[in-house]
Amino acid sequence: MAASTSKNVIFAALAGNTAIAITKLAAALFTGSSAMMSEAIHSAVDTGNQILLLIGLKRAARPATDAHPFGHGLQLYFYTFVVSVLIFGLGAVISILHGIHRIQFPEAIQNPWINYLVLALAILFEGASWIVALRAFNRERGGRPFLAAVRNSKDPTVFTVLFEDTAALAGLVVALAGLAASQWLGLPVLDGVASVVIGGILAVTAGFLAFESQSLLTGEAADPETREGIAAIARAEPGVIGLNDAKTMHFGPNEILVVLSLDFDDALSAAQVENTVARLEHRIRAAWPQAGRIYVEAQSAASHAAVRAAVLAGGGPGSLVRMVPDGDGGDTPVA
């Protein structure tokens, strides 16, 4: 369902941006408006970005292989980061440079009514795409605050399209204001100023999306509610006398790796420990189906504390633990 929703949002944005980009480009070439040319560049970049997001979704859906044992879900986060780079590099920088050139060499806009018509239609189509993305995002975020939902979201496709469309609508308003001001005040330089402002809007949008996508790409944990729920299930499992550690990591919007370090009751046999682990995995997956891979380590609290202390002390991989507590209260050297 989540993948289907993401694709619907992207296809809606792709259809709108393709038509808008062609229309804006034709209007910019016919009228000579710098702001309209910036808008054409913006829509063309957005069109390419939607194609990249679709490629990311397709590549992320590939099954796990020996070379990628945890699947390819991180591909989606990679392509989202590429999108943010393109928004900045092709959208923001080119718009700003184009606007600066027009400020230095202002030219009167020819047939401005064409730009007004194109901008009005673009606002209409871009607004429709924005509504589709906003509704999908609102379903995903539930009742959480807007920015908190963006920060906690593990599916970057929906909020990427939403922010792209928001930036597009803001850019259209700026282009419209710049066009009107340059015409009514007789100051063609304002058209170039509008182009620079549009580039600034794109730069801010690109920076925010880059920050969010790099966080996902470098390994984000599941949301606090999921982490706390998994920990509670592990602590409540009969035969488990202590939870040493619980780690999670998203390998995609709907794929979570769960790693648990548990202290089992010493009275349990090996078979009983195996049964306990099987029950625990079943209970976790029943509550969170996205927990595709669950790894459980049997480790005493003392041994875990020793490993943690060695890691915090900055020892290398071969010197994490020089002495491991044995079962009789003594220390056993590690070979």
Side-chain angles (χ1 to χ4, degrees):
M1 287 294 291
S4 177
T5 299
S6 298
K7 285 184 178 180
N8 291 339
V9 171
I10 296 172
F11 279 128
L14 178 62
N17 282 320
T18 301
I20 293 171
I22 295 173
T23 306
K24 286 178 181 177
L25 179 60
L29 294 175
F30 188 75
T31 64
S33 170
S34 175
M36 183 59 74
M37 180 59 73
S38 292
E39 278 299 303
I41 294 170
H42 181 182
S43 294
V45 171
D46 282 352
T47 300
N49 288 342
Q50 266 90 65
I51 294 174
L52 284 175
L53 289 176
L54 288 173
I55 293 174
L57 281 173
K58 183 175 181 179
R59 292 181 65 86
R62 292 182 299 169
T65 63
D66 290 340
H68 293 87
F70 293 104
H72 297 79
L74 293 177
Q75 288 271 353
L76 178 59
Y77 299 153
F78 168 75
Y79 278 93
T80 304
F81 185 78
V82 171
V83 164
S84 67
V85 173
L86 289 178
I87 291 176
F88 180 82
L90 294 182
V93 174
I94 293 178
S95 293
I96 291 173
L97 292 177
H98 190 70
I100 292 174
H101 177 77
R102 185 51 60 93
I103 291 173
Q104 294 173 332
F105 306 99
E107 296 179 8
I109 298 174
Q110 305 297 321
N111 302 306
W113 65 269
I114 295 178
N115 285 338
Y116 288 123
L117 177 61
V118 170
L119 288 173
L121 291 174
I123 290 174
L124 178 64
F125 293 128
E126 202 74 64
S129 174
W130 181 82
I131 290 173
V132 172
L134 180 63
R135 287 177 176 173
F137 183 73
N138 283 338
R139 287 194 297 270
E140 179 183 301
R141 75 185 180 100
R144 292 176 295 172
F146 188 87
L147 288 180
V150 172
R151 296 300 305 274
N152 292 327
S153 175
K154 308 305 177 185
D155 185 356
T157 54
V158 174
F159 72 70
T160 295
V161 173
L162 177 61
F163 274 81
E164 278 185 348
D165 288 346
T166 301
L169 285 173
L172 288 168
V173 172
V174 171
L176 186 61
L179 176 64
S182 65
Q183 180 186 1
W184 292 341
L185 299 178
L187 296 173
V189 70
L190 294 178
D191 184 52
V193 172
S195 182
V196 172
V197 173
I198 292 170
I201 292 173
L202 293 176
V204 172
T205 303
F208 181 82
L209 291 177
F211 178 80
E212 289 299 321
S213 58
Q214 67 80 26
S215 180
L216 290 166
L217 184 59
T218 53
E220 270 195 10
D223 60 81
E225 181 182 356
T226 300
R227 298 200 305 268
E228 292 166 4
I230 291 174
I233 289 177
R235 290 192 183 97
E237 184 64 34
V240 175
I241 62 175
L243 173 63
N244 299 321
D245 206 358
K247 301 292 186 185
T248 61
M249 177 179 168
H250 268 272
F251 278 84
N254 300 300
E255 179 71 23
I256 300 175
L257 169 68
V258 179
V259 179
L260 300 173
S261 174
L262 303 178
D263 190 356
F264 290 92
D265 187 342
D266 292 338
L268 295 179
S269 65
Q272 289 173 318
V273 170
E274 291 174 353
N275 291 334
T276 300
V277 170
R279 287 197 310 270
L280 180 59
E281 290 183 352
H282 177 76
R283 291 181 61 194
I284 291 174
R285 288 196 178 96
W288 291 277
Q290 64 268 40
R293 292 174 177 82
I294 302 173
Y295 296 99
V296 179
E297 177 185 49
Q299 189 177 37
S300 69
S303 177
H304 178 78
V307 171
R308 177 176 174 80
V311 171
L312 292 177
S319 60
L320 288 180
V321 181
R322 292 302 183 187
M323 301 295 290
V324 176
D326 60 27
D328 301 319
D331 290 331
T332 302
V334 177

